Amino acid sequence: MRLRAALLAGLLLAGCAQGPAPAPDAPDPILYDPAEVARAERLVIFVPGALSSVVMYTPAKGWQAGGFADAYYRFPGLDGMPPGPLDIDRAAAQVAGFANAHPDKQVALVGYSSGAPIAILAAARITGDRVVPVAALAPAVEHGGGLPTLARGAGDILRAAARAQSLDPLQVWIEYWQILLRGRNAPPLPGFRDRVIETAQTHRGERPLGPPETRLARSHGQALQNWELPPDLDLSHVRLRIYAGLEDPVFSTAQTLRFARALGQDRIYGFPGEGHLLYLSQPDVFETARRFAVEALEAPRQD
């Protein structure tokens, strides 16, 4: 895991590790190693969630060992990208454009939370006679869940403040992070708060867990408010699998099931006792997703 984190850090810091240099006013949101992509027969594109760095995919180390070159879509305001509004349709077009620029590659997509709709829409736009597996992890649903999700989120913030017995933003965020991690009904983890504060003090005063900057939160969050699945979405060449924590406090199991059915899926793959942060609480989900993708790519076409 440390090696992969170092590789990701190298990609983020080294401009030469990206693809051809974009115009200064239009940085390339896709982070990848051109030599690695050129060598590989398969390509996996990882799309993070709102307010999440591509470093969240550090545990997905098995994909490289499985013959995939990896690429990462960077959200506005993170990972070296300039600030700006997130546009789900535009992001999907950029991801699909990168895949279509490599027509000789088998392509798989992994999207987390807000990144899942981007991955699904992108897969629909990938051209050529290619099956495209998509692993959607804790996917954001249409309209970002609407008022029910907003109401539950506000209640969870109040619940976190009560747990923290404080209105200090960091203290509240630490407790809210636990709710995101394990659901609202799980008891607080012993020593979790102290471990986070100790970590913060060793990082030059930075807060590894803390409330997001307001402008960034708004630019990422507003993208989902009016988003819904297009009526003409063609997923006939897409093999989709949805993974979700059954205690997800952001998008309920019922919401995720409705979203799955709207996508033509009759089931979701649930993790009992897990919340929204599957990439932290269930890092093996990446290996599960890789096996699914390989099986989908190697299975005979049925359409």
Side-chain angles (χ1 to χ4, degrees):
M1 187 178 297
R2 290 181 180 176
L3 175 59
R4 188 176 183 84
L7 290 172
L8 273 175
L11 282 175
L12 290 169
L13 293 173
C16 62
Q18 298 181 34
D25 59 342
D28 187 354
I30 308 291
L31 192 70
Y32 68 103
D33 183 329
E36 180 187 323
V37 170
R39 288 191 300 265
E41 294 182 358
R42 290 172 172 170
L43 175 64
V44 56
I45 306 172
F46 294 104
V47 187
L51 309 175
S52 299
S53 164
V54 298
V55 176
M56 65 161 284
Y57 286 113
T58 296
K61 53 188 179 297
W63 288 78
Q64 285 183 326
F68 289 86
D70 46 4
Y72 305 85
Y73 184 81
R74 300 179 291 171
F75 277 20
L78 294 173
D79 299 322
M81 293 297 292
L86 173 66
D87 184 310
I88 289 178
D89 191 66
R90 180 170 180 268
Q94 291 170 323
V95 171
F98 179 74
N100 290 333
H102 299 87
D104 58 326
K105 311 291 184 187
Q106 292 183 318
V107 178
L109 302 174
V110 180
Y112 166 71
S113 194
S114 301
I118 294 171
I120 292 166
L121 296 183
R125 300 182 183 191
I126 293 178
T127 58
D129 187 24
R130 293 186 278 185
V131 168
V132 183
V134 177
L137 314 180
V141 302
E142 292 179 288
H143 300 286
L147 289 176
T149 290
L150 285 174
R152 287 196 303 270
D156 287 337
I157 293 293
L158 294 175
R159 185 175 289 105
R163 281 190 186 185
Q165 297 182 336
S166 170
L167 295 179
D168 176 73
L170 176 58
Q171 299 293 338
V172 174
W173 187 257
I174 290 169
E175 297 300 332
Y176 179 59
W177 190 267
Q178 292 193 72
I179 294 173
L180 288 176
L181 187 69
R182 303 172 68 228
R184 61 179 59 89
N185 297 317
L189 294 169
F192 185 83
R193 185 187 310 178
D194 292 339
R195 290 201 303 273
V196 171
I197 293 173
E198 181 180 357
T199 301
Q201 291 172 344
T202 62
H203 284 76
R204 300 178 183 177
E206 298 173 2
R207 293 179 175 182
L209 300 179
E213 191 270 328
T214 302
R215 184 182 302 175
L216 184 67
R218 186 180 297 115
S219 70
H220 287 191
Q222 286 181 342
L224 280 172
Q225 290 179 7
N226 298 316
W227 177 79
E228 57 187 26
L229 288 168
D232 57 348
L233 187 65
D234 181 7
L235 298 178
S236 58
H237 64 293
V238 175
R239 302 295 178 263
L240 174 63
R241 184 164 290 182
I242 294 174
Y243 302 93
L246 297 182
E247 299 296 329
D248 191 328
V250 181
F251 305 111
S252 70
T253 300
Q255 287 177 313
T256 305
L257 279 169
R258 284 195 296 271
F259 184 56
R261 289 172 184 142
L263 290 162
Q265 304 294 302
D266 61 0
R267 70 183 67 182
I268 64 175
Y269 291 77
F271 291 85
E274 300 294 349
H276 191 63
L277 306 178
L278 287 180
Y279 68 96
L280 289 177
S281 62
Q282 286 287 335
D284 287 348
V285 71
F286 294 123
E287 178 57 20
T288 302
R290 187 194 67 80
R291 290 196 301 267
F292 152 70
V294 170
E295 290 171 2
L297 291 171
E298 295 180 351
R301 289 285 298 258
Q302 297 179 355
D303 51 1

